């Protein structure tokens, strides 16, 4: 066996056991996917298996993994966590240089570094992006870059903590296929909330439950929320808009768009198509070179930030970066206080309750698991009762229970007359929750009702 976990127990200080007498054997070349809900201990298991949480119960070829020297350990096992952007060096100006960062720090000869970098870029489909600035990559491209950096270390074991959450369906399938084509003696341990993509590629499936690994069983799906009311009027209007990150390659040119009040609009399209950029333009976080955007009667460009913030709430892809307060309650009270609304505590508690978080009101946001943290960001975004709610891949990484809470909140928001605009790569989530689809591809945008996919209303 390459990796053996025997009777592994782990608990965080002052807390109950997260892993309890857990056993796992991972032979060379084995591909295993561990499926579990939010807060079940997937990330803890990943850290233990990578030797980051020392335990004599974690063995590598019969030796305690924690006893391996640092250079030997990083050449043995590589972990890519849920936030791949945080694993980048921050010192590299190109994708190629970023992938070279690890092998260079091993002191390898230049020729070996170059060979490893080229092989890793090829394995992850990044060769065409070799000279791209890592800070200008999409979420899916950043995920593949982090994995490529890990592969360049030539580990015997690759551990991936929810690696598919930033990817569209095509990219998910492509990544899992690439993982099956890695060196045949490299073991891969993936941890995720969904089994579908891993099952399709023949990964052995296991389920983490009550601190132990069990044979996999599909988790029940909650029933979908109630239907939304018919929309009326426009919440967002865009007129003659031009925008480009690079003047030589405009992303949007002459864009015209109307999005209705009371709608749930799913923005779909391939990674890097401009979905997040469009949402940032609507939220006033990017400025167009030409054109006009109006949200709930507020013109985005000339408006003061506080005026715009009064009518919209936004949850970014990396929602952890939005937290400023020491409790969920204080976080949810920030916007009501900013806008001097009556009873900020009451508004905050109602927002938390809408996401099923009222029992955690006095807990620290960053002490929570991924599902609770994402829903906390949603609660903070809706507490001041905005007219527009913008969600950038907020459903990613949520188990069925937490995803259902988010779906319920979307339904309640649109039933109150608000509009929800959400980027999503999960077609099932789109079908359950969207009244409209905004398809983005190559700078072109097509708006259609979900029942009329393919019938474009405007470009």
């Amino acid at each position: 066996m390459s990796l053996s976990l025997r009777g592994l127990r782990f608990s965080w200080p002052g807390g109950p056991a997260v892993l309890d007498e857990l056993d796992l054997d991972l032979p060379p070349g084995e591909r295993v996917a561990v499926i579990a809900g939010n807060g079940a201990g997937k990330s803890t298991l990943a850290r233990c298996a990578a030797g980051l949480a020392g335990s004599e119960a974690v063995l590598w070829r019969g030796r305690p993994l924690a006893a391996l020297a640092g250079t030997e350990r990083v050449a043995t096992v590589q972990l890519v966590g849920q936030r791949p952007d945080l694993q980048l060096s921050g010192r590299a100006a190109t994708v190629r240089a970023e992938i070279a960062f690890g092998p260079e720090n091993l002191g390898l000869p230049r020729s070996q570094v170059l060979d490893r970098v080229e092989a890793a870029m090829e394995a992850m489909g990044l060769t065409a992006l070799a000279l791209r600035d890592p800070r200008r990559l999409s979420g899916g491209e950043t995920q593949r870059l982090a994995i490529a950096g890990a592969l360049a270390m030539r580990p015997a074991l690759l551990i991936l903590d929810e690696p598919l959450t930033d990817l569209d369906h095509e990219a998910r399938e492509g990544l899992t296929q690439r993982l099956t084509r890695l060196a045949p003696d490299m073991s891969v341990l993936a941890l995720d909330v969904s089994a579908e993509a891993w099952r399709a590629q023949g990964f052995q499936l296991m389920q983490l439950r009550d601190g132990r690994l069990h044979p996999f069983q599909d988790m029940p799906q909650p029933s979908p929320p109630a239907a939304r009311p018919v929309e009326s009027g426009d919440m967002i209007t865009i007129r003659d808009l031009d925008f480009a990150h690079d003047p030589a390659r405009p992303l949007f040119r002459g864009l015209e768009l109307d999005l209705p009040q009371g709608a749930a609009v799913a923005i779909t399209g391939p990674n890097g198509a401009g979905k997040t950029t469009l949402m940032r333009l609507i939220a006033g976080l990017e400025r167009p070179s030409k054109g006009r955007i109006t949200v709930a009667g507020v013109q985005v460009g000339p408006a003061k930030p506080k005026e715009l913030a009064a009518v919209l709430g936004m949850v970014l892809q990396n929602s952890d970066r939005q937290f400023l307060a020491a409790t969920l309650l204080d976080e949810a009270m920030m916007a009501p206080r900013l806008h001097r609304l009556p009873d900020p505590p009451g508004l905050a508690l109602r927002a938390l309750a809408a996401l099923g978080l009222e029992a955690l009101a006095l807990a620290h946001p960053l002490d929570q698991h991924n599902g609770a943290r994402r829903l906390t960001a949603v609660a903070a975004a809706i507490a001041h009762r905005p007219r527009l709610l913008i969600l950038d891949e907020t459903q990613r990484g949520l188990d069925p229970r937490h995803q259902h809470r988010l779906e319920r909140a979307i339904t309640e928001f649109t039933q109150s007359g608000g509009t929800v605009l959400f980027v999503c790569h999960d077609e099932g989530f789109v079908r359950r929750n969207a009244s409209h689809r905004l398809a983005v591809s190559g700078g072109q945008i097509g708006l259609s009702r979900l029942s009329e996919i393919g019938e474009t209303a405007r470009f």
Side-chain angles (χ1 to χ4, degrees):
M1 292 294 169
S2 294
L3 180 71
S4 295
L5 279 59
R6 286 286 174 268
L8 175 64
R9 289 181 57 84
F10 186 91
S11 60
W12 296 103
V18 180
L19 306 176
D20 187 11
E21 300 295 332
L22 182 145
D23 294 329
L24 173 65
D25 288 319
L26 199 63
E30 189 76 9
R31 268 62 165 158
V32 173
V34 174
I35 310 301
N38 299 128
K42 298 187 302 298
S43 295
T44 300
L45 175 57
R47 289 178 58 82
C48 289
L52 299 179
S55 173
E56 295 296 316
V58 181
L59 304 178
W60 180 257
R61 296 175 181 169
R63 300 170 55 196
L65 183 58
L68 271 60
T71 54
E72 184 181 3
R73 192 186 309 173
V74 298
T76 298
V77 56
Q78 284 286 306
L79 166 63
V80 179
Q82 292 182 10
R83 290 284 307 277
D85 56 306
L86 296 182
Q87 295 189 227
L88 303 186
S89 69
R91 301 174 61 89
T94 67
V95 165
R96 176 179 280 119
E98 178 62 42
I99 298 172
F101 185 81
E104 287 174 342
N105 277 275
L106 291 179
L108 298 177
R110 187 62 181 167
S111 60
Q112 289 189 28
V113 172
L114 293 176
D115 287 345
R116 290 188 177 203
V117 169
E118 295 304 318
M121 286 196 299
E122 174 65 24
M124 286 294 107
L126 294 170
T127 303
L129 302 177
L131 300 180
R132 180 78 64 84
D133 185 339
R135 295 169 298 180
R136 294 295 184 183
L137 299 178
S138 69
E141 291 165 344
T142 301
Q143 180 69 271
R144 286 187 285 138
L145 174 57
I147 296 175
L151 292 178
M153 303 296 282
R154 299 283 171 89
L157 170 62
L158 177 65
I159 302 175
L160 305 171
D161 191 0
E162 297 190 16
L164 306 182
T165 52
D166 280 333
L167 308 182
D168 58 30
H169 178 76
E170 183 179 353
R172 290 181 187 188
E173 184 176 354
L175 176 58
T176 52
Q177 288 177 349
R178 290 179 185 279
L179 292 173
T180 63
R181 295 196 294 266
L182 295 177
D185 59 345
M186 181 185 294
S187 302
V188 179
L189 176 63
L191 303 104
D192 211 336
V193 296
S194 174
E196 180 183 0
W198 307 106
R199 178 160 38 203
Q201 298 302 328
F203 274 62
Q204 178 188 349
L205 299 179
M206 306 185 76
Q207 194 163 43
L208 178 59
R209 186 177 67 251
D210 300 325
R212 299 183 183 183
L213 291 175
H214 305 269
F216 177 76
Q217 294 180 340
D218 283 305
M219 290 181 280
Q221 295 289 332
S223 57
R228 290 168 299 278
V230 177
E231 308 85 21
S232 62
D234 288 328
M235 179 68 69
I236 301 170
T237 61
I238 299 178
R239 293 291 179 267
D240 196 27
L241 182 140
D242 290 353
F243 179 84
H245 292 294
D246 179 354
R249 294 184 299 172
L251 183 59
F252 300 120
R253 179 175 290 171
L255 178 62
E256 301 273 336
L257 185 66
D258 295 315
L259 298 179
Q261 176 181 331
V265 183
I267 304 181
T268 63
N271 291 115
K275 303 184 298 296
T276 295
T277 298
L278 178 62
M279 299 181 87
R280 289 177 62 85
L281 285 163
I282 292 172
L285 301 179
E286 300 277 5
R287 292 297 177 92
S289 57
K290 187 181 72 168
R292 185 177 73 255
I293 303 173
T294 303
V295 175
V298 177
Q299 192 169 336
V300 172
K304 295 180 179 179
K306 187 175 179 179
E307 293 174 333
L308 186 58
V311 298
L312 69 83
M314 184 173 188
V315 178
L316 303 172
Q317 276 191 18
N318 296 330
S319 55
D320 287 359
R321 295 181 178 178
Q322 296 182 238
F323 297 140
L324 298 173
T327 68
L328 274 68
L329 180 62
D330 288 333
E331 191 70 39
M333 281 197 290
M334 291 186 71
R337 284 173 169 169
L338 173 67
H339 299 293
R340 301 183 182 278
L341 300 179
D343 191 19
L347 290 173
L349 285 172
R350 280 192 285 275
L352 291 172
L355 278 303
L357 298 171
E358 61 272 29
L360 300 174
L362 300 182
H364 196 293
L366 294 178
D367 285 341
Q368 309 310 307
H369 58 68
N370 179 54
R373 295 199 310 273
R374 288 191 181 278
L375 296 189
T376 298
V378 176
I382 65 174
H384 65 297
R385 297 178 176 173
R387 302 286 305 284
L388 172 66
L389 175 62
I390 299 177
L391 305 174
D392 195 354
E393 287 287 356
T394 304
Q395 85 294 330
R396 62 188 177 96
L398 297 183
D399 63 21
R401 182 166 62 99
H402 290 84
Q403 195 169 105
H404 179 67
R405 292 181 183 179
L406 176 61
E407 295 183 9
R408 183 182 63 191
I410 289 174
T411 298
E412 291 174 354
F413 194 87
T414 55
Q415 285 179 337
S416 69
T419 293
V420 179
L421 195 61
F422 63 95
V423 169
C424 186
H425 289 138
D426 183 339
E427 187 61 24
F429 189 91
V430 170
R431 288 285 179 180
R432 289 195 303 273
N433 297 284
S435 60
H436 294 72
R437 182 193 299 269
L438 196 60
V440 182
S441 180
Q444 295 293 307
I445 293 183
L447 176 65
S448 57
R449 286 188 174 275
L450 199 63
S451 60
E452 303 169 352
I453 296 303
E455 297 181 15
T456 303
R458 289 184 180 88
F459 284 98

